[in-house]
């Protein structure tokens, strides 16, 4: 049944504090942000000042009716996610040789993880689902649509993907067969030549401005046809090659717009979609590694105050890397070499077997430990990095079941060496699909949160570049001049604590002081 978008969802908990007010339409919070400013002196010493700033947050309580439009809808991620949402919504069961299975949203940090809300009267921890911290859209209520250069309907796409069990495929087949991807923008030079056979569902012509307008109309039509309040667009189409950064073409907002009008060859399909979304005021998230967000496009998003996020879903190997390297470096152990080898046999792997597309992935995977290494100058000299190598091979017979082998070679105590070897086997699309849910749920939520500091007269939305989505992204995009955080634990804390701030709660700390004193 359609969501009643006129009433706010009753929250699981209400905060009882003079700093928090629940109105029919909003949660209003007053929050003191405590920070620590460090001034390095010429002699190397530091003067440290605790600083406090007052923030006001205002969150719309009504969860809107949301559409998710995926670019690459007919691919492995698109079909797996669509079928899984349908299975969850309709509580379908399916049988395999190991018994009866029920649908779930495991792997989604918003839907399947909990956060420590506080302690009860006896000092015991109380946990709530992360999804209950704020009024968030339920993924089962998402209306799904999108584009693909392949004309296969989603049932055929699901069969082609070979990800879901047959007994589930059988039950969702008719419903998925009703969904046919909209024709898309195809500039053959941007994805591997081996994708050419698939491209039979294309928006005609070579006029790039007309393509943007076409996509804009698709979004508007989808919204009207499904009675939606909001749409979020996610690029889960093939990895493109990098667009060349050329002064006068994609360096500024004006130049980029002119390049689109001139149908310049360095404007990629993903940038066409991003531009259409920016102009429609619809959040756009790039789940692939290419540089969709050329500087001109970022400038434009900022100017239009449109939300953008990227790049590249952080699903398996990199997620593990961003947790284990954080752990090692914070344990005082020095990774000196990280060697990552992958093989996979799905269409993503086929596309990545082409050098230029692989290069996009290699770049995206390469910077993931930089901030953790830079944070520890006991282990690493300035500018020193571990050797970091990434290899990806296409092995068709393993299908979507990607193999990732990683070796972490570490220097330890007194000249010792430690080699940690990790072997990860998993269907890639089962890892990426829940991330798409988190990206959509959180991006939509960010459209309903506003903030104001003491100096500001009006509430403002957050910055266009949604760095809060970093937890789900391999090469997180952040606003200009701000540091990139790759460490997984820090990324999760940011989510948890910003949500806490919005309901007027202090950040979670692990002091447990009440348990450590007499
Ligand atoms: P896939 O090849 O199965 O699906 C991609 C789909 O995009 C295909 O159906 C293809 O026809 C379509 N497509 C290509 N160009 C298009 C365009 N211009 N417009 C519309 N559709 C287009 O791949 P997948 O396994 O679903 O992965 C999708 C993307 O997500 C890849 O770029 C991959 O690198 C990225 N990614 C995946 C994971 C993961 O764990 N699965 C992790 C990180 C990133």
């Amino acid at each position: 049944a359609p969501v009643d978008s006129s009433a706010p969802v009753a929250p699981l908990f209400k905060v009882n504090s003079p700093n928090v007010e629940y109105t029919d339409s909003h949660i209003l919070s007053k929050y003191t942000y405590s920070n620590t400013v460090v001034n390095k002196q010429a002699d190397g010493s530091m003067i440290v000042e605790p600083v406090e700033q007052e923030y006001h947050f205002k969150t719309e309580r009504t969860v809107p009716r949301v559409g998710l439009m995926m670019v690459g809808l007919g691919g492995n991620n698109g079909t797996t996610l669509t079928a899984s949402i349908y299975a969850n919504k309709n509580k379908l069961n399916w049988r395999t040789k190991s018994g009866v299975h029920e649908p779930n949203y495991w792997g989604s940090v918003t839907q399947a993880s909990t956060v420590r809300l506080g302690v009860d009267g006896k000092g015991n921890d109380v946990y709530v689902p992360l999804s209950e911290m704020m009024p968030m859209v339920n993924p089962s209520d998402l209306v799904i649509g999108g584009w693909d250069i392949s004309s296969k309907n989603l049932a055929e796409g699901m069969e082609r993907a070979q990800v879901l069990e047959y007994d589930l495929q059988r039950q969702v087949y008719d419903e998925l067969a009703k969904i046919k991807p909209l024709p898309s923008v195809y500039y053959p030079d941007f994805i591997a030549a081996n994708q050419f056979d698939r491209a039979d569902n294309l928006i005609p012509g070579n006029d790039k401005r007309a393509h943007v307008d076409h996509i804009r109309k698709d979004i508007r039509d989808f919204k009207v046809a499904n009675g939606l309040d909001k749409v979020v667009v996610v690029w889960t189409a093939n990895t493109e090659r990098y667009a060349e950064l050329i002064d006068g073409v994609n360096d500024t907002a004006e130049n980029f717009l002119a390049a689109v009008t001139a149908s310049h060859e360095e404007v990629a399909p993903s940038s066409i979609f991003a531009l259409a979304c920016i102009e429609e005021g619809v959040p756009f998230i790039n789940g692939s590694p290419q540089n969709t967000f050329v500087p001109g496009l970022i400038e434009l998003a900022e100017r239009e105050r449109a939300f953008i996020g990227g790049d590249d879903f952080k699903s398996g190997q990199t997620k593990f890397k961003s947790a284990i390297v954080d752990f090692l470096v914070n344990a005082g152990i020095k990774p000196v070499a990280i060697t990552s080898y992958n093989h996979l046999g799905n269409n993503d792997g086929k596309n990545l077997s082409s050098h230029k597309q692989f290069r996009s992935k290699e770049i995206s995977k390469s910077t993931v430990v930089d901030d953790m290494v830079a944070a520890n100058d006991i282990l690493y000299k300035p500018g020193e990095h571990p050797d970091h190598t990434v290899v990806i091979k296409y092995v068709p017979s393993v299908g979507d079941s990607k193999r990732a082998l990683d070796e972490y070679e570490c220097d330890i105590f007194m000249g010792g060496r430690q080699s940690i070897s990790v072997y990860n086997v998993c269907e890639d699309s089962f890892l990426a699909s829940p991330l798409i849910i988190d990206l959509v749920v959180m991006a939509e939520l960010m459209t309903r949160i506003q903030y104001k500091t003491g100096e500001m007269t009006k509430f403002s939305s957050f910055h266009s570049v949604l760095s809060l989505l970093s937890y789900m992204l391999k090469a997180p995009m952040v606003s200009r001049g701000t540091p990139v955080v790759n460490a997984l634990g820090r990324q999760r804390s940011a989510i948890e604590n910003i949500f806490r701030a919005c309901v007027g709660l202090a950040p979670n700390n692990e002091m447990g002081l009440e348990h450590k004193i007499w």
Side-chain angles (χ1 to χ4, degrees):
V3 187
D4 175 5
S5 52
S6 59
V9 180
L12 178 67
F13 64 87
K14 273 196 170 182
V15 177
N16 183 12
S17 151
N19 294 331
V20 185
E21 187 190 344
Y22 292 78
T23 70
D24 284 348
S25 57
H26 290 91
I27 303 172
L28 302 161
S29 81
K30 192 170 91 178
Y31 177 79
T32 306
Y33 179 52
S34 306
N35 213 345
T36 308
V37 176
V38 181
N39 291 303
K40 285 197 179 158
Q41 309 296 298
D43 65 358
S45 67
M46 298 178 217
I47 306 285
V48 183
E49 268 176 83
V51 292
E52 290 195 334
Q53 182 161 26
E54 193 173 282
Y55 278 78
H56 293 261
F57 294 104
K58 184 167 116 180
T59 307
E60 276 178 43
R61 292 183 61 188
T62 302
V63 176
R65 187 167 154 81
V66 181
L68 160 60
M69 296 187 85
M70 287 182 270
V71 194
L73 178 64
N76 286 22
N77 291 344
T79 56
T80 303
L81 180 61
T82 308
S84 304
I85 287 180
Y86 182 76
N88 270 283
K89 191 181 173 82
N90 293 285
K91 302 190 169 50
L92 302 181
N93 289 329
W94 66 98
R95 266 186 182 279
T96 68
K97 66 181 178 187
S98 62
V100 179
H101 294 261
E102 288 175 355
N104 61 38
Y105 284 121
W106 291 2
S108 154
V109 72
T110 58
Q111 307 305 311
S113 84
T114 60
V115 290
R116 199 168 69 92
L117 183 63
V119 287
D120 68 12
K122 293 187 179 137
N124 297 315
D125 291 340
V126 177
Y127 289 89
V128 295
L130 183 57
S131 60
E132 297 288 347
M133 287 298 295
M134 298 285 278
M136 292 186 211
V137 67
N138 177 345
S140 298
D141 294 329
L142 291 170
V143 179
I144 295 185
W147 304 263
D148 205 294
I149 56 171
S150 162
S151 65
K152 283 195 190 301
N153 69 44
L154 261 62
E156 296 165 327
M158 168 183 70
E159 281 186 314
R160 174 177 58 189
Q162 302 179 12
V163 176
L164 293 163
E165 289 286 348
Y166 170 71
D167 191 30
L168 179 57
Q169 287 194 30
R170 189 182 58 73
Q171 296 178 64
V172 301
Y173 195 92
D174 290 349
E175 205 54 38
L176 262 69
K178 292 181 197 157
I179 310 176
K180 198 173 171 303
L182 296 164
S184 194
V185 177
Y186 177 55
Y187 307 147
D189 179 40
F190 278 88
I191 57 174
N194 61 30
Q195 299 295 314
F196 181 76
D197 295 351
R198 227 175 146 102
D200 63 355
N201 192 37
L202 312 180
I203 301 172
N206 300 313
D207 180 341
K208 295 195 174 183
R209 182 66 240 184
H211 289 166
V212 174
D213 295 336
H214 187 112
I215 302 299
R216 289 185 62 176
K217 183 169 180 309
D218 284 346
I219 297 171
R220 287 197 300 269
D221 289 350
F222 184 70
K223 227 171 152 174
V224 171
N226 294 287
L228 302 171
D229 303 311
K230 286 186 181 167
V231 169
V232 177
V233 175
V234 177
W235 177 276
T236 178
N238 288 127
T239 297
E240 297 172 336
R241 70 165 171 84
Y242 258 49
E244 213 182 305
L245 297 180
I246 308 172
D247 285 347
V249 174
N250 40 27
D251 53 342
T252 67
E254 287 317 320
N255 289 342
F256 180 74
L257 287 170
V260 172
T261 305
S263 297
H264 193 282
E265 61 186 13
E266 281 309 306
V267 178
S270 60
S271 299
I272 295 286
F273 276 92
L275 174 59
C277 291
I278 290 167
E279 291 185 340
E280 283 299 311
V282 161
F284 177 85
I285 295 147
N286 176 29
S288 299
Q290 70 276 342
N291 63 343
T292 301
F293 297 111
V294 292
L297 205 42
I298 298 175
E299 189 183 313
L300 200 67
E302 288 171 349
R303 199 168 80 187
E304 302 296 324
R305 302 225 148 198
F307 285 124
I308 54 174
D311 295 312
D312 206 5
F313 304 129
K314 179 164 59 188
S315 49
Q317 185 175 55
T318 308
K319 185 174 252 170
F320 194 84
K321 199 176 278 180
S322 66
I324 196 169
V325 174
D326 190 34
F327 149 66
L328 290 168
V329 174
N330 283 329
I333 292 173
K334 180 182 180 180
V336 291
I338 304 167
T339 316
S340 295
Y341 171 88
N342 302 257
H343 65 264
L344 74 169
N346 57 17
N347 188 54
D348 180 31
K350 185 174 173 189
N351 183 60
L352 295 176
S353 65
S354 159
H355 178 73
K356 283 185 181 164
Q357 285 68 28
F358 164 70
R359 185 66 194 131
S360 296
K361 203 57 145 187
E362 189 180 40
I363 295 171
S364 152
K365 280 180 175 261
S366 68
T367 53
V368 62
V369 299
D370 288 0
D371 54 325
M372 303 165 228
V373 166
N376 189 331
D377 66 2
I378 302 172
L379 299 178
Y380 297 96
K381 294 189 206 72
E384 186 187 354
H385 289 282
D387 297 334
H388 190 182
T389 301
V390 178
V391 178
I392 303 179
K393 292 292 172 195
Y394 176 49
V395 179
S397 46
V398 302
D400 203 63
S401 178
K402 184 158 121 186
R403 318 295 153 110
L405 291 82
D406 292 70
E407 189 184 80
Y408 298 88
E409 182 75 4
C410 304
D411 276 349
I412 59 169
F413 192 52
M414 298 300 288
R417 268 282 163 108
Q418 180 180 18
S419 303
I420 303 167
S421 192
V422 179
Y423 182 44
N424 175 36
V425 181
C426 187
E427 276 95 342
D428 230 10
S429 307
F430 284 145
L431 295 178
S433 299
L435 301 188
I436 298 180
I437 291 175
D438 290 331
L439 288 161
V440 174
V441 166
M442 285 179 39
E444 188 287 313
L445 173 60
M446 294 306 284
T447 68
R448 285 185 285 120
I449 305 179
Q450 297 202 304
Y451 77 95
K452 190 165 84 71
T453 61
E455 298 93 64
M456 294 163 66
T457 50
K458 283 194 307 197
F459 276 95
S460 161
S461 54
F462 274 62
H463 193 277
S464 285
V465 179
L466 290 173
S467 57
L468 194 68
L469 306 180
S470 299
Y471 183 89
M472 283 78 71
L473 296 161
K474 216 158 11 222
M477 194 169 47
V478 297
S479 52
R480 256 175 297 181
T482 61
V484 178
V485 173
N486 285 294
L488 198 70
R490 290 184 64 194
Q491 292 172 337
R492 195 177 187 283
S493 289
I495 297 173
E496 192 177 332
N497 289 329
I498 287 179
F499 289 176
R500 288 179 73 89
C502 291
V503 292
L505 297 175
N508 238 336
N509 61 58
E510 298 305 332
M511 289 166 71
L513 203 53
E514 65 276 28
H515 304 304
K516 298 184 173 64
I517 52 176
W518 292 111

